[in-house]
Amino acid sequence: MAAAPSPSVPACGDLPAAVSAFADAFVDFAVSGIFFPTPSSSSAAAATSSPPPAPTAPTTFLPSPPRLVAIGDLHGDLPKSLSALRLAGLVPAPSGPGPDSPAASASWAAGPTLAVQLGDILDRGGDELRLLYLLRRLALSAEARGGALLPILGNHEVMNVSGDFRFATPQGLQEFSAWAGWYRAGLAIKRRCGEHLDPQPRNPFLGVPKSFPGVKPEFWDGMRSRLAALRPDGPIARRFLADLPTVLVVGDSVFVHGGLLEANVEYGLERINAEVSEWIRGEGSENARAPEYVRGRDAVVWLRRFSDGFDCDCQRLEEVLGMIPGVKRMVMGHTIQTVGINAVCGAQAVRVDVGLSKGCGNGLPEVLEINGGGSEVRVITTPPSEAWMYRKQEAEKAAVEVKEKRGEVKDGLALLVRESHGLKEVEAKA
């Protein structure tokens, strides 16, 4: 009598699911150097025989945690982002003089801490995908250890899903080109299963332009790869952006990239989160534009009314906060604070974007910490023993600013575009 197969060994019927899981893990590691937790063979097999679960709406309201941390814009700079994460005590200190492996940096070290990242992970740097992977893997690690890491959407995430790549860099496009090569390899592995794989893998490159008039040809592949990855229902947009909130209320603090006005609160914070999520998942009409409340000067991801300068409309801010029960402060990113994290309007407006990324100021890493259910608020800044690494570049940064004013320095997509050509959003055919 033949022995029953071990439950740990996939049966033939499980093979398509096992191949698909291997392909996904292969692509993840090739792109980011990180492995994600994978379901068991039995649960993977069950996933192929039943429809995927309905997507859940992003989180909007959470109670106060024992410790709450806020980190500003990251803009494609992995080393500086890791500096901020370590400063907040969210990841372990480096084990040696050299850089740690991506896997070591994705291990949560902060117990029940809840950390909010204020958006703008994308653009201005060359580590955009590696940052998305790291933050998602770190969020899974935090959840397993009783904590949470919740990025929210910034205007640069909205711009990229809309096909607006004005602030993409050559290094960023190269990263997406590399992703596309590995993703195609993963698709080829999955297709070896033929009709046995259900659902069939979708090719995100179908309908995406192969040429981009006005852009230098050497960047076309990066543009195409970026568009395929980040357009509504693109694999990177759906996986890493669609479930992120646009607005998040934690205890007595509301977190938003740009800011909120009365009309936004009246429209409904949960409604805003749900509708932006649906747009990123591609569930609107073909080639649908981003919802109106994330487009334009007064949009929730673009507003600077409470983050630009120290002469803010404090009365209006107080009125907006009064519309959200129990909320005492608005925490924002988006506008670089050259003096570091600060607050105005009796600490009702807290601004945490320190221009961290080397592509956006190379600011001194700082994080905001809120304890005691909101009663204790402090700024954690880089210690003097490390701060010199950033301060010594002030003269160099000032020289670059002078050249920028003269038009001698180009930023983002301006590096990629031929002279005399305008920039516009790029659309893919549905």
Side-chain angles (χ1 to χ4, degrees):
M1 181 175 178
S6 168
S8 62
V9 178
C12 291
D14 300 338
L15 189 58
V19 170
S20 180
F22 167 79
D24 290 336
F26 165 76
V27 174
D28 285 347
F29 187 77
V31 172
S32 68
I34 294 173
F35 281 118
F36 282 74
T38 55
S40 65
S41 59
S42 58
S43 60
T48 64
S49 58
S50 60
T56 57
T59 299
T60 305
F61 295 96
L62 289 171
S64 292
R67 178 176 183 250
L68 177 60
V69 168
I71 300 173
D73 307 25
L74 302 180
H75 279 306
D77 191 328
L78 180 59
K80 292 292 294 293
S81 298
L82 284 170
S83 294
L85 293 170
R86 292 189 182 110
L87 187 63
L90 304 183
V91 298
S95 57
D100 275 352
S101 68
S105 302
S107 177
W108 186 255
T113 297
L114 190 160
V116 180
Q117 192 279 316
L118 270 293
D120 277 9
I121 301 165
L122 299 177
D123 285 336
R124 300 188 185 276
D127 302 322
E128 299 163 278
L129 284 168
R130 283 182 283 273
L131 264 178
L132 288 174
Y133 273 88
L134 171 67
L135 294 176
R136 181 53 55 95
R137 184 63 185 87
L138 189 57
L140 295 173
S141 178
E143 183 179 4
R145 291 167 171 79
L149 171 60
L150 291 171
I152 66 175
L153 295 171
N155 61 305
H156 283 264
E157 282 72 55
V158 172
M159 290 169 68
N160 275 271
V161 176
S162 301
D164 184 343
F165 302 152
R166 278 177 287 173
F167 297 96
T169 64
Q171 295 79 13
L173 293 183
Q174 290 167 8
E175 190 186 33
F176 275 88
S177 287
W179 164 84
W182 292 117
Y183 194 87
R184 289 189 180 98
L187 282 178
I189 293 172
K190 291 182 179 182
R191 285 172 178 157
R192 301 287 292 183
C193 295
E195 70 278 4
H196 301 292
L197 194 61
D198 182 28
Q200 286 287 301
R202 187 175 64 88
N203 184 352
F205 303 95
L206 294 177
V208 180
K210 295 184 178 180
S211 62
F212 299 85
V215 176
K216 297 174 183 178
E218 59 262 38
F219 298 114
W220 285 359
D221 184 69
M223 292 281 287
R224 185 167 192 257
S225 302
R226 193 179 186 97
L227 186 57
L230 290 171
R231 63 171 167 165
D233 199 30
I236 296 297
R238 174 176 279 271
R239 182 178 181 185
F240 295 111
L241 303 180
D243 61 349
L244 302 185
T246 305
V247 184
L248 178 65
V249 178
V250 182
D252 62 359
S253 302
V254 57
F255 296 87
V256 60
H257 183 71
L260 293 172
L261 296 176
E262 297 90 341
N264 307 132
V265 183
E266 290 172 354
Y267 190 82
L269 305 185
E270 290 178 308
R271 185 179 176 188
I272 288 174
N273 283 345
E275 291 179 358
V276 174
S277 177
E278 290 169 3
W279 166 65
I280 295 176
R281 293 198 304 267
E283 296 177 1
S285 59
E286 293 184 0
N287 296 322
R289 296 187 72 189
E292 183 177 0
Y293 41 78
V294 291
R295 289 186 285 113
R297 169 179 287 185
D298 287 340
V300 297
V301 295
W302 283 97
L303 189 73
R304 299 188 192 271
R305 189 181 299 265
F306 308 124
S307 62
D308 192 6
F310 291 89
D311 185 19
C312 296
D313 189 345
C314 296
Q315 181 177 348
R316 187 167 189 185
L317 172 64
E318 187 172 356
E319 292 172 356
V320 173
L321 294 177
M323 297 174 68
I324 311 172
V327 169
K328 298 178 180 178
R329 70 183 64 82
M330 187 181 298
V331 183
M332 297 157 283
H334 188 45
T335 304
I336 294 177
Q337 308 296 314
T338 56
V339 298
I341 294 176
N342 64 83
V344 295
C345 300
Q348 289 185 314
V350 184
R351 298 89 69 88
V352 301
D353 179 10
V354 296
L356 180 79
S357 170
K358 289 181 180 178
C360 195
N362 197 30
L364 195 71
E366 291 186 340
V367 298
L368 182 75
E369 182 181 66
I370 302 175
N371 292 317
S375 62
E376 303 171 15
V377 182
R378 69 174 183 137
V379 176
I380 306 175
T381 192
T382 302
S385 60
E386 300 176 19
W388 67 272
M389 293 188 293
Y390 310 108
R391 290 185 178 135
K392 72 176 184 177
Q393 299 176 34
E394 289 299 319
E396 180 182 339
K397 286 160 56 179
V400 171
E401 289 174 0
V402 171
K403 290 183 178 180
E404 286 176 342
K405 290 178 180 178
R406 295 174 180 168
E408 299 172 12
V409 175
K410 295 182 178 181
D411 184 32
L413 193 57
L415 291 165
L416 320 179
V417 179
R418 298 180 185 131
E419 296 293 343
S420 77
H421 283 83
L423 305 177
K424 62 180 181 180
E425 295 179 4
V426 182
E427 289 188 353
K429 298 179 180 178

